[in-house]
């Protein structure tokens, strides 16, 4: 077999020296079609035969055979340009165009369809190109918004823009990158349940950023209460049009506001005591806020001695009537830090006319959504935020 291969190669060389290209091509095809040879050798002989062939019909036949051979031997080294050439030489223009589209080479695909006169593919791809231009324009608009949000450290706007990139321009490289950035940002941003800790607070403060809060003994309740007669989902506190209401959720043993049983719902108008069932007592303290804004409520669970802040509207820590900051640094302050609910997350900003707020790297000059474990400093007093 090796002797025959050598004879064929010698014959091919003599034909080339004599200018007999068609005979050399015939010998190379004989070598390429030999199943006894290594696929890499056969691949090389097919390529040589294609390079030497002059007759268009012969080139088409070689390309067809070469293409079939490569499909039957997927372990051969991938060569996109060679595969494209074989599709073109064998007249498979529709398949070539589809391959180029899959690889993102839309303009080259359109050129193939035009040259082959494939009118249906031309119309389809023209419509797709128009759609792609619109998507690209929208992606560029969103990328400009994203750059501005990052420049101003507007993390919630950044989050929203990343979500739009993923949802509105799928398939573009910018959407794939946005998906990765979105996962990273969401893992760092605090959700609606936040634990605020500081030496200026009497005890760590559990914060729920929401427009409603459920109470009961179920694990899914926002505030779990133990006690005789407490239902799984017993009662709800919610905000509506800058007012706060308590609603009994058809509990078995009733919800009582300052001793009066609630039938349906009732508006909260001041500091009061909420009793669920026979023994679960929660002290409710509405906190002052800006005019026209929904007040927040401080809930003091007598059973666990914990404090919960239901943040339904803007709140200024350290302001008169609000949550006190028990530290000498704030004795002369009318407010140190403003807490703002937005889209189910917490925003921080300096209190109007209050002291400077900053991180270890930068002074806070606009609202910011805190990251998990991020620390802020006001008059050298640390305030840390984490999920609970």
């Amino acid at each position: 077999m090796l002797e025959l291969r050598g004879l064929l190669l010698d014959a091919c060389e003599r034909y080339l020296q004599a200018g007999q290209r068609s005979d050399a091509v015939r010998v190379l095809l004989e070598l390429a079609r030999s199943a006894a040879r290594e696929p890499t050798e056969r691949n090389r002989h097919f390529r040589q035969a294609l390079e030497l062939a002059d007759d268009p019909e012969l080139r088409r036949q070689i390309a067809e055979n070469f293409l079939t051979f490569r499909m039957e031997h997927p372990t051969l080294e991938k060569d996109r340009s060679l595969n494209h050439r074989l599709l073109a030489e064998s007249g498979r223009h529709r398949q070539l165009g589809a391959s180029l589209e899959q690889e993102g080479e839309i303009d080259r695909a359109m050129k193939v369809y035009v040259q082959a006169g494939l009118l249906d593919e031309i119309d389809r791809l023209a419509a797709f190109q128009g759609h792609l231009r619109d998507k690209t324009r929208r992606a560029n608009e969103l990328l400009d918004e994203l750059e501005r949000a990052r420049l101003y450290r507007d993390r919630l706007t950044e989050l929203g823009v990343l979500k739009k990139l993923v949802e509105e321009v799928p398939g573009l490289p910018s959407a794939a990158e946005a998906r990765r950035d979105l996962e990273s940002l969401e893992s760092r941003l605090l959700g609606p349940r936040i634990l605020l800790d500081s030496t200026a607070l009497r005890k760590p403060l559990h914060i729920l950023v929401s427009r409603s809060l459920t109470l009961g003994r179920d694990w899914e309740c926002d505030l779990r209460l133990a006690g005789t007669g407490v239902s799984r989902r017993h009662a709800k506190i919610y905000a509506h049009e800058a007012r706060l209401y308590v609603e009994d959720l058809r509990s078995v043993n009733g919800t009582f506001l300052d001793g009066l049983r609630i039938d349906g719902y009732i508006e909260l108008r001041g500091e009061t005591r909420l009793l669920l069932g026979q023994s679960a007592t929660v002290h409710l303290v509405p906190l002052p806020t800006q005019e026209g804004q929904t007040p927040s409520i401080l809930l003091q669970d007598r059973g666990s001695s914990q404090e919960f802040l239901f943040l339904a509207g803007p709140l200024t820590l350290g302001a008169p009537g609000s949550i006190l900051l028990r530290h000498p640094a704030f004795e002369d302050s009318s407010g140190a830090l403003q807490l703002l609910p937005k889209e189910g997350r917490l925003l921080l900003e300096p209190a109007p006319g209050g002291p400077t707020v900053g991180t270890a790297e930068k002074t806070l000059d606009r609202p910011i959504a805190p990251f998990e474990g991020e620390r802020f400093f006001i008059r050298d007093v640390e305030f840390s935020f984490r999920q609970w």
Side-chain angles (χ1 to χ4, degrees):
M1 185 64 69
L2 289 174
E3 183 179 351
L4 176 60
R5 177 176 178 275
L7 290 173
L8 289 172
L9 288 174
D10 288 342
C12 182
E13 184 67 26
R14 288 197 302 275
Y15 284 137
L16 287 175
Q17 290 175 355
Q20 297 174 292
R21 294 168 66 94
S22 59
D23 291 321
V25 169
R26 179 174 52 79
V27 173
L28 287 168
L29 287 176
E30 185 68 27
L31 289 166
R33 289 168 181 155
S34 175
R37 303 194 184 283
E38 288 293 325
T40 52
E41 284 188 58
R42 297 173 64 191
N43 186 76
R44 184 172 69 254
H45 294 320
F46 265 124
R47 188 190 286 266
Q48 291 169 335
L50 186 63
E51 295 293 343
L52 289 173
D54 293 324
D55 181 65
E57 178 58 24
L58 180 58
R59 292 176 64 84
R60 187 191 67 76
Q61 292 176 7
I62 295 172
E64 283 278 4
N65 292 331
F66 196 1
L67 194 59
T68 301
F69 165 75
R70 288 184 62 83
M71 291 174 63
E72 292 172 349
H73 295 82
T75 57
L76 287 170
E77 183 181 358
K78 304 298 181 185
D79 189 334
R80 288 194 310 166
S81 61
L82 175 59
N83 290 339
H84 292 167
R85 180 183 175 185
L86 295 178
L87 289 170
E89 293 276 9
S90 60
R92 301 186 186 186
H93 304 295
R94 199 179 297 272
Q95 190 175 343
L96 173 57
S99 178
L100 290 168
E101 285 187 59
Q102 289 178 354
E103 295 165 10
E105 299 190 49
I106 305 302
D107 291 338
R108 284 187 63 193
M110 177 61 87
K111 187 175 180 179
V112 168
Y113 295 144
V114 170
Q115 290 175 343
L118 299 172
L119 298 181
D120 58 330
E121 297 291 3
I122 293 171
D123 291 342
R124 179 190 60 77
L125 193 55
F128 173 75
Q129 283 181 308
H131 177 62
L132 183 61
R133 281 193 295 270
D134 291 341
K135 283 178 65 175
T136 303
R137 182 167 53 251
R138 177 58 175 158
N140 290 334
E141 293 172 354
L142 291 172
L143 288 172
D144 288 341
E145 289 184 36
L146 184 62
E147 184 178 357
R148 287 194 295 271
R150 287 172 171 170
L151 177 64
Y152 294 114
R153 300 180 71 199
D154 189 342
R155 293 165 179 170
L156 291 190
T157 298
E158 179 183 355
L159 184 73
V161 174
L162 288 172
K163 287 180 178 178
K164 289 180 181 178
L165 277 166
V166 170
E167 295 167 0
E168 296 182 19
V169 293
L172 295 185
S174 52
E177 185 177 349
R179 187 180 299 278
R180 292 191 295 271
D181 291 347
L182 179 61
E183 291 174 356
S184 174
L185 185 60
E186 284 187 320
S187 69
R188 299 179 66 195
L189 278 174
L190 290 171
R193 298 169 179 267
I194 300 160
L195 183 68
L196 168 59
D197 197 7
S198 174
T199 55
L201 294 170
R202 185 165 54 90
K203 61 179 68 175
L205 182 64
H206 293 76
I207 303 173
L208 176 67
V209 183
S210 180
R211 297 289 291 176
S212 67
L213 175 147
T214 54
L215 303 93
R217 56 183 174 84
D218 195 284
W219 281 100
E220 293 184 357
C221 288
D222 298 307
L223 180 56
R224 294 187 65 243
L225 299 171
T228 305
V230 177
S231 299
R232 293 173 62 85
R233 294 182 75 254
H234 196 111
K236 178 172 74 171
I237 301 174
Y238 64 93
H240 177 68
E241 295 183 352
R243 295 183 180 182
L244 292 170
Y245 297 85
V246 178
E247 179 181 358
D248 179 73
L249 299 178
R250 297 182 180 178
S251 63
V252 175
N253 296 295
T255 303
F256 301 84
L257 195 66
D258 284 340
L260 298 176
R261 183 163 185 160
I262 297 174
D263 182 14
Y265 64 90
I266 190 171
E267 183 181 351
L268 283 174
R269 294 183 177 274
E271 186 173 341
T272 188
R273 184 175 64 90
L274 188 66
L275 175 64
L276 280 67
Q278 284 85 47
S279 61
T281 303
V282 181
H283 191 60
L284 305 180
V285 183
L287 302 174
T289 188
Q290 302 167 9
E291 185 176 352
Q293 297 282 355
T294 305
S296 297
I297 298 179
L298 187 65
L299 297 92
Q300 298 169 328
D301 178 12
R302 297 288 175 84
S304 65
S305 73
Q306 289 184 327
E307 291 186 339
F308 298 85
L309 173 62
F310 173 46
L311 190 70
L315 177 73
T316 303
L317 292 181
S322 182
I323 296 173
L324 297 179
L325 297 178
R326 304 172 185 275
H327 193 283
F330 303 108
E331 288 181 352
D332 61 344
S333 174
S334 59
L337 182 65
Q338 194 161 38
L339 310 181
L340 307 168
K342 183 179 180 181
E343 300 171 6
R345 296 184 187 271
L346 175 67
L347 283 180
L348 308 177
E349 71 173 352
T356 300
V357 180
T359 64
E361 301 84 21
K362 186 176 180 180
T363 298
L364 197 64
D365 57 0
R366 64 186 66 245
I368 189 171
F371 283 148
E372 169 71 31
E374 194 165 17
R375 298 179 300 166
F376 295 83
F377 298 89
I378 309 173
R379 292 178 176 170
D380 295 326
V381 179
E382 179 181 314
F383 293 77
S384 65
F385 296 81
R386 60 184 175 86
Q387 204 72 28
W388 65 275

